[in-house]
Amino acid sequence: MSDAKPDRISPEPPAPVAPAPAGAPISPPIEDVRTRAEAGRGFGPIERIAAGLSLVWLVLVAAFWLFVPGNGAGLDAASLVMAVTGILLPLVMIWIAAITARTAAEMRAEAQALKASVETMRAAWLSQSQLRAGATIEKKLDEVAQVARQAETAIATFTSRRDAGATPPSADRKAALAAPRPAAPGEDQPALALGTPAEALAQPVSVADFICALNFPDNADDREGFRALRRALEDRTMAKLIRAAQDVLNLLAQDGIYMDDLTPDRARPELWRRFAQGERGREIAALGGVRDRSSLALTAGRMRSDTIFRDAAHHFLRQFDRTFTEFETNASDQEVAELAETRTARAFMLLGRVTGTFD
Protein backbone atom coordinates (compact mmCIF):
# COMPACT_ATOMS: atom_id res chain seq x y z
CA MET A 1 0.00 0.00 0.00
CA SER A 2 1.23 3.50 -0.79
CA ASP A 3 2.63 5.61 2.05
CA ALA A 4 0.65 8.69 0.86
CA LYS A 5 -1.72 10.20 3.34
CA PRO A 6 -5.41 9.66 2.65
CA ASP A 7 -5.99 13.36 1.95
CA ARG A 8 -3.50 13.45 -0.93
CA ILE A 9 -4.23 11.95 -4.35
CA SER A 10 -1.26 9.81 -5.39
CA PRO A 11 -0.99 8.74 -9.04
CA GLU A 12 1.54 6.02 -8.18
CA PRO A 13 0.27 2.39 -8.21
CA PRO A 14 0.30 0.49 -4.90
CA ALA A 15 3.41 -1.49 -4.06
CA PRO A 16 3.10 -5.30 -4.35
CA VAL A 17 2.31 -7.06 -1.11
CA ALA A 18 4.74 -9.77 0.01
CA PRO A 19 3.18 -13.15 0.78
CA ALA A 20 2.36 -13.50 4.43
CA PRO A 21 3.97 -16.45 6.23
CA ALA A 22 1.76 -19.43 6.92
CA GLY A 23 -0.13 -19.15 10.17
CA ALA A 24 0.51 -15.37 10.49
CA PRO A 25 -2.58 -13.22 11.16
CA ILE A 26 -3.73 -11.09 8.23
CA SER A 27 -3.51 -7.37 9.03
CA PRO A 28 -6.54 -5.31 7.96
CA PRO A 29 -5.12 -2.51 5.72
CA ILE A 30 -8.58 -0.93 5.26
CA GLU A 31 -8.92 -0.36 8.98
CA ASP A 32 -5.42 1.14 9.08
CA VAL A 33 -6.30 3.56 6.28
CA ARG A 34 -9.55 4.57 7.96
CA THR A 35 -7.78 5.11 11.26
CA ARG A 36 -5.15 7.30 9.66
CA ALA A 37 -7.85 9.13 7.69
CA GLU A 38 -9.80 9.90 10.85
CA ALA A 39 -6.60 11.01 12.57
CA GLY A 40 -5.74 13.31 9.64
CA ARG A 41 -9.12 14.96 9.29
CA GLY A 42 -7.81 18.23 10.60
CA PHE A 43 -6.79 21.24 8.58
CA GLY A 44 -4.94 19.46 5.80
CA PRO A 45 -3.37 20.67 2.53
CA ILE A 46 -6.69 20.68 0.67
CA GLU A 47 -8.32 22.80 3.38
CA ARG A 48 -5.35 25.15 3.41
CA ILE A 49 -5.63 25.62 -0.36
CA ALA A 50 -9.37 26.27 -0.07
CA ALA A 51 -8.85 28.71 2.77
CA GLY A 52 -6.18 30.53 0.75
CA LEU A 53 -8.47 30.85 -2.28
CA SER A 54 -11.30 32.06 -0.06
CA LEU A 55 -9.06 34.66 1.52
CA VAL A 56 -7.88 35.87 -1.88
CA TRP A 57 -11.47 36.15 -3.06
CA LEU A 58 -12.47 38.11 0.02
CA VAL A 59 -9.48 40.44 -0.43
CA LEU A 60 -10.48 41.07 -4.06
CA VAL A 61 -14.08 41.75 -3.03
CA ALA A 62 -12.94 44.14 -0.28
CA ALA A 63 -10.60 45.93 -2.70
CA PHE A 64 -13.46 46.29 -5.18
CA TRP A 65 -15.72 47.86 -2.59
CA LEU A 66 -13.01 50.14 -1.25
CA PHE A 67 -11.26 51.38 -4.37
CA VAL A 68 -14.05 51.48 -6.94
CA PRO A 69 -15.74 54.95 -6.65
CA GLY A 70 -19.43 55.02 -5.98
CA ASN A 71 -19.67 51.34 -5.42
CA GLY A 72 -22.10 51.54 -2.51
CA ALA A 73 -24.35 54.35 -3.78
CA GLY A 74 -27.86 53.67 -4.89
CA LEU A 75 -28.05 50.00 -3.86
CA ASP A 76 -31.55 48.73 -3.46
CA ALA A 77 -32.55 45.44 -1.83
CA ALA A 78 -32.33 43.40 -5.02
CA SER A 79 -28.91 44.74 -5.87
CA LEU A 80 -27.70 44.02 -2.33
CA VAL A 81 -28.95 40.42 -2.55
CA MET A 82 -27.24 39.95 -5.87
CA ALA A 83 -24.02 41.42 -4.51
CA VAL A 84 -24.02 39.13 -1.44
CA THR A 85 -24.82 36.14 -3.64
CA GLY A 86 -21.95 37.00 -5.97
CA ILE A 87 -19.60 37.27 -3.02
CA LEU A 88 -20.63 34.01 -1.25
CA LEU A 89 -21.20 31.75 -4.26
CA PRO A 90 -17.49 31.51 -5.22
CA LEU A 91 -16.65 30.68 -1.58
CA VAL A 92 -19.21 27.88 -1.55
CA MET A 93 -17.87 26.49 -4.81
CA ILE A 94 -14.30 26.57 -3.48
CA TRP A 95 -15.24 24.53 -0.38
CA ILE A 96 -17.39 22.11 -2.34
CA ALA A 97 -14.39 21.42 -4.58
CA ALA A 98 -12.18 20.95 -1.50
CA ILE A 99 -14.61 18.46 0.09
CA THR A 100 -14.93 16.55 -3.21
CA ALA A 101 -11.13 16.32 -3.57
CA ARG A 102 -10.74 15.05 -0.01
CA THR A 103 -13.48 12.42 -0.48
CA ALA A 104 -11.87 11.25 -3.73
CA ALA A 105 -8.51 10.91 -1.97
CA GLU A 106 -10.07 8.81 0.82
CA MET A 107 -11.89 6.58 -1.66
CA ARG A 108 -8.72 5.98 -3.66
CA ALA A 109 -6.78 5.16 -0.48
CA GLU A 110 -9.47 2.68 0.60
CA ALA A 111 -9.44 1.08 -2.86
CA GLN A 112 -5.68 0.60 -2.63
CA ALA A 113 -6.06 -0.82 0.88
CA LEU A 114 -8.77 -3.23 -0.32
CA LYS A 115 -6.51 -4.45 -3.11
CA ALA A 116 -3.65 -4.94 -0.67
CA SER A 117 -5.92 -6.84 1.72
CA VAL A 118 -7.10 -9.16 -1.07
CA GLU A 119 -3.49 -9.83 -2.11
CA THR A 120 -2.54 -10.58 1.49
CA MET A 121 -5.42 -13.05 1.94
CA ARG A 122 -4.57 -14.68 -1.39
CA ALA A 123 -0.92 -15.13 -0.36
CA ALA A 124 -1.97 -16.57 3.02
CA TRP A 125 -4.39 -18.97 1.32
CA LEU A 126 -1.64 -20.16 -1.05
CA SER A 127 0.74 -20.74 1.86
CA GLN A 128 -1.88 -22.72 3.79
CA SER A 129 -2.65 -24.76 0.68
CA GLN A 130 1.03 -25.64 0.35
CA LEU A 131 1.16 -26.69 4.01
CA ARG A 132 -1.95 -28.85 3.59
CA ALA A 133 -0.41 -30.42 0.51
CA GLY A 134 2.78 -31.20 2.47
CA ALA A 135 0.76 -32.71 5.31
CA THR A 136 -1.15 -34.83 2.81
CA ILE A 137 2.12 -36.12 1.34
CA GLU A 138 3.43 -37.01 4.82
CA LYS A 139 0.17 -38.84 5.58
CA LYS A 140 0.48 -40.80 2.34
CA LEU A 141 4.07 -41.73 3.19
CA ASP A 142 2.98 -42.96 6.63
CA GLU A 143 0.26 -45.06 5.01
CA VAL A 144 2.77 -46.52 2.55
CA ALA A 145 5.12 -47.38 5.42
CA GLN A 146 2.29 -49.03 7.35
CA VAL A 147 1.27 -51.06 4.32
CA ALA A 148 4.90 -52.11 3.86
CA ARG A 149 5.06 -53.31 7.47
CA GLN A 150 1.82 -55.24 7.03
CA ALA A 151 3.17 -56.81 3.84
CA GLU A 152 6.35 -57.80 5.65
CA THR A 153 4.31 -59.46 8.37
CA ALA A 154 2.22 -61.27 5.77
CA ILE A 155 5.35 -62.51 4.05
CA ALA A 156 6.69 -63.77 7.36
CA THR A 157 3.34 -65.45 8.01
CA PHE A 158 3.35 -67.38 4.75
CA THR A 159 7.04 -68.31 5.00
CA SER A 160 6.76 -71.18 7.46
CA ARG A 161 9.58 -73.53 8.15
CA ARG A 162 8.60 -76.93 6.79
CA ASP A 163 10.28 -80.29 6.66
CA ALA A 164 10.93 -81.69 3.23
CA GLY A 165 8.87 -84.83 3.67
CA ALA A 166 5.95 -83.93 5.87
CA THR A 167 3.52 -81.16 6.68
CA PRO A 168 3.74 -79.91 10.29
CA PRO A 169 0.69 -80.50 12.47
CA SER A 170 -1.68 -77.65 13.28
CA ALA A 171 -1.17 -75.38 16.29
CA ASP A 172 -4.14 -76.94 18.07
CA ARG A 173 -2.48 -80.37 18.10
CA LYS A 174 1.23 -79.63 18.19
CA ALA A 175 2.97 -79.33 21.56
CA ALA A 176 4.16 -75.84 22.41
CA LEU A 177 7.40 -76.81 24.18
CA ALA A 178 9.92 -79.41 23.24
CA ALA A 179 9.86 -82.64 25.20
CA PRO A 180 12.39 -82.82 28.04
CA ARG A 181 15.71 -84.29 27.01
CA PRO A 182 16.21 -87.87 28.31
CA ALA A 183 19.14 -88.54 30.59
CA ALA A 184 22.29 -89.76 28.88
CA PRO A 185 23.61 -93.22 29.75
CA GLY A 186 26.66 -91.78 31.47
CA GLU A 187 24.78 -89.33 33.67
CA ASP A 188 24.47 -90.29 37.32
CA GLN A 189 20.80 -89.63 37.92
CA PRO A 190 19.14 -92.48 39.80
CA ALA A 191 15.52 -93.16 39.04
CA LEU A 192 13.23 -92.56 41.98
CA ALA A 193 10.74 -95.29 42.75
CA LEU A 194 7.86 -92.85 43.06
CA GLY A 195 5.92 -93.95 40.04
CA THR A 196 5.06 -91.86 37.01
CA PRO A 197 4.50 -88.15 37.84
CA ALA A 198 1.08 -86.69 37.07
CA GLU A 199 2.43 -84.07 34.64
CA ALA A 200 4.00 -86.80 32.54
CA LEU A 201 0.59 -88.35 31.96
CA ALA A 202 -1.07 -85.02 31.09
CA GLN A 203 -1.51 -84.05 27.48
CA PRO A 204 1.04 -81.39 26.44
CA VAL A 205 -0.16 -77.82 25.98
CA SER A 206 -0.71 -76.95 22.34
CA VAL A 207 0.95 -74.05 20.56
CA ALA A 208 -2.39 -72.25 20.14
CA ASP A 209 -3.18 -72.49 23.87
CA PHE A 210 0.32 -71.37 24.81
CA ILE A 211 0.15 -68.27 22.59
CA CYS A 212 -3.34 -67.44 23.85
CA ALA A 213 -2.17 -67.80 27.46
CA LEU A 214 0.80 -65.47 26.89
CA ASN A 215 -1.61 -62.82 25.59
CA PHE A 216 -3.81 -63.17 28.73
CA PRO A 217 -7.62 -62.84 28.63
CA ASP A 218 -8.96 -59.63 27.11
CA ASN A 219 -11.85 -59.26 29.58
CA ALA A 220 -13.98 -61.18 32.05
CA ASP A 221 -16.04 -62.69 29.22
CA ASP A 222 -13.04 -64.14 27.38
CA ARG A 223 -13.76 -67.78 28.14
CA GLU A 224 -11.29 -69.09 25.58
CA GLY A 225 -8.52 -66.93 27.08
CA PHE A 226 -9.18 -68.20 30.61
CA ARG A 227 -9.37 -71.80 29.40
CA ALA A 228 -5.99 -71.47 27.66
CA LEU A 229 -4.52 -69.71 30.70
CA ARG A 230 -5.64 -72.47 33.09
CA ARG A 231 -4.33 -75.07 30.65
CA ALA A 232 -0.91 -73.40 30.46
CA LEU A 233 -0.65 -72.97 34.23
CA GLU A 234 -0.81 -76.75 34.60
CA ASP A 235 2.59 -76.92 32.91
CA ARG A 236 5.41 -76.09 35.32
CA THR A 237 7.66 -74.35 32.79
CA MET A 238 4.86 -72.30 31.29
CA ALA A 239 3.51 -71.38 34.71
CA LYS A 240 6.84 -69.82 35.69
CA LEU A 241 6.83 -67.58 32.62
CA ILE A 242 3.15 -66.66 32.93
CA ARG A 243 3.43 -65.69 36.59
CA ALA A 244 6.61 -63.69 35.92
CA ALA A 245 4.87 -61.90 33.02
CA GLN A 246 1.82 -61.21 35.17
CA ASP A 247 3.97 -59.62 37.89
CA VAL A 248 5.76 -57.42 35.36
CA LEU A 249 2.55 -56.33 33.62
CA ASN A 250 0.95 -55.40 36.95
CA LEU A 251 4.01 -53.33 37.95
CA LEU A 252 4.08 -51.58 34.57
CA ALA A 253 0.36 -50.81 34.84
CA GLN A 254 1.08 -48.89 38.05
CA ASP A 255 2.94 -46.34 35.89
CA GLY A 256 0.20 -46.29 33.26
CA ILE A 257 2.10 -48.48 30.79
CA TYR A 258 -0.20 -50.95 29.04
CA MET A 259 0.90 -53.34 26.35
CA ASP A 260 -2.21 -52.66 24.26
CA ASP A 261 -1.06 -49.04 23.85
CA LEU A 262 2.31 -50.07 22.37
CA THR A 263 2.74 -50.60 18.63
CA PRO A 264 6.22 -52.10 18.29
CA ASP A 265 7.90 -52.63 14.95
CA ARG A 266 7.52 -56.20 13.79
CA ALA A 267 10.68 -58.27 13.44
CA ARG A 268 11.10 -61.23 11.12
CA PRO A 269 10.83 -64.71 12.66
CA GLU A 270 14.45 -65.34 11.61
CA LEU A 271 15.61 -62.77 14.19
CA TRP A 272 13.55 -64.43 16.91
CA ARG A 273 15.12 -67.78 16.02
CA ARG A 274 18.61 -66.31 16.15
CA PHE A 275 17.77 -64.93 19.60
CA ALA A 276 16.55 -68.37 20.72
CA GLN A 277 19.77 -69.90 19.44
CA GLY A 278 21.81 -67.63 21.72
CA GLU A 279 22.70 -64.69 19.49
CA ARG A 280 22.81 -61.30 21.21
CA GLY A 281 23.87 -57.76 20.42
CA ARG A 282 23.13 -55.32 17.63
CA GLU A 283 22.52 -58.08 15.08
CA ILE A 284 19.12 -58.72 16.69
CA ALA A 285 18.43 -55.11 17.74
CA ALA A 286 15.28 -55.12 15.62
CA LEU A 287 13.59 -57.26 18.30
CA GLY A 288 13.45 -54.19 20.56
CA GLY A 289 10.82 -52.59 18.36
CA VAL A 290 9.15 -50.49 21.07
CA ARG A 291 9.57 -46.80 20.14
CA ASP A 292 7.27 -45.13 22.66
CA ARG A 293 9.55 -42.64 24.43
CA SER A 294 7.37 -42.08 27.47
CA SER A 295 7.06 -45.80 28.16
CA LEU A 296 10.80 -46.31 27.74
CA ALA A 297 11.62 -43.37 30.02
CA LEU A 298 9.18 -44.45 32.74
CA THR A 299 10.42 -48.04 32.63
CA ALA A 300 14.08 -46.99 32.76
CA GLY A 301 13.40 -44.74 35.75
CA ARG A 302 11.54 -47.53 37.52
CA MET A 303 14.44 -49.92 36.86
CA ARG A 304 16.87 -47.51 38.51
CA SER A 305 14.76 -46.59 41.53
CA ASP A 306 12.70 -49.71 42.34
CA THR A 307 14.66 -52.83 43.30
CA ILE A 308 11.51 -54.99 43.38
CA PHE A 309 10.65 -54.01 39.84
CA ARG A 310 14.24 -54.56 38.71
CA ASP A 311 14.33 -58.07 40.19
CA ALA A 312 10.94 -58.94 38.69
CA ALA A 313 12.04 -57.65 35.27
CA HIS A 314 15.27 -59.67 35.23
CA HIS A 315 13.44 -62.79 36.43
CA PHE A 316 10.87 -62.34 33.65
CA LEU A 317 13.59 -61.89 31.00
CA ARG A 318 15.31 -65.12 32.11
CA GLN A 319 12.07 -67.10 32.07
CA PHE A 320 11.12 -65.75 28.64
CA ASP A 321 14.56 -66.63 27.28
CA ARG A 322 14.39 -70.22 28.55
CA THR A 323 10.80 -70.86 27.53
CA PHE A 324 11.13 -69.29 24.08
CA THR A 325 14.20 -71.41 23.39
CA GLU A 326 12.08 -74.53 23.83
CA PHE A 327 9.14 -73.05 21.95
CA GLU A 328 11.23 -72.10 18.90
CA THR A 329 12.26 -75.66 18.18
CA ASN A 330 8.63 -76.74 17.66
CA ALA A 331 7.09 -73.58 16.22
CA SER A 332 6.73 -72.48 12.62
CA ASP A 333 7.49 -68.97 11.42
CA GLN A 334 3.80 -68.07 11.54
CA GLU A 335 3.53 -69.24 15.15
CA VAL A 336 6.65 -67.29 16.10
CA ALA A 337 5.11 -64.16 14.52
CA GLU A 338 1.86 -64.75 16.45
CA LEU A 339 3.72 -65.11 19.75
CA ALA A 340 5.56 -61.83 19.04
CA GLU A 341 2.17 -60.06 19.01
CA THR A 342 1.21 -61.15 22.54
CA ARG A 343 1.29 -58.86 25.57
CA THR A 344 4.05 -60.99 27.11
CA ALA A 345 6.27 -60.58 24.03
CA ARG A 346 5.68 -56.81 24.01
CA ALA A 347 6.72 -56.63 27.65
CA PHE A 348 9.86 -58.57 26.71
CA MET A 349 10.62 -56.08 23.90
CA LEU A 350 10.16 -53.12 26.24
CA LEU A 351 12.22 -54.51 29.12
CA GLY A 352 14.84 -55.98 26.80
CA ARG A 353 15.45 -52.60 25.22
CA VAL A 354 15.59 -50.82 28.58
CA THR A 355 18.05 -53.35 30.04
CA GLY A 356 20.28 -53.32 26.94
CA THR A 357 19.58 -56.89 25.84
CA PHE A 358 19.64 -55.82 22.20
CA ASP A 359 22.69 -53.50 22.43
Side-chain angles (χ1 to χ4, degrees), residues 1-2 4-10 12 14 29-31 33-34 36-38 41 46 98-116:
M1 186 176 64
S2 174
K5 294 183 179 179
D7 56 353
R8 181 181 301 171
I9 301 177
S10 175
E12 299 178 358
I30 295 180
E31 296 298 331
V33 170
R34 288 176 178 173
R36 294 190 303 184
E38 292 176 358
R41 281 181 181 173
I46 295 178
I99 294 173
T100 303
R102 185 184 184 104
T103 303
E106 291 179 355
M107 292 178 64
R108 177 169 294 184
E110 288 194 4
Q112 294 174 356
L114 179 60
K115 183 178 180 180

Side-chain angles (χ1 to χ4, degrees), residues 40 68 204 313 335:
V68 175
E335 292 159 355

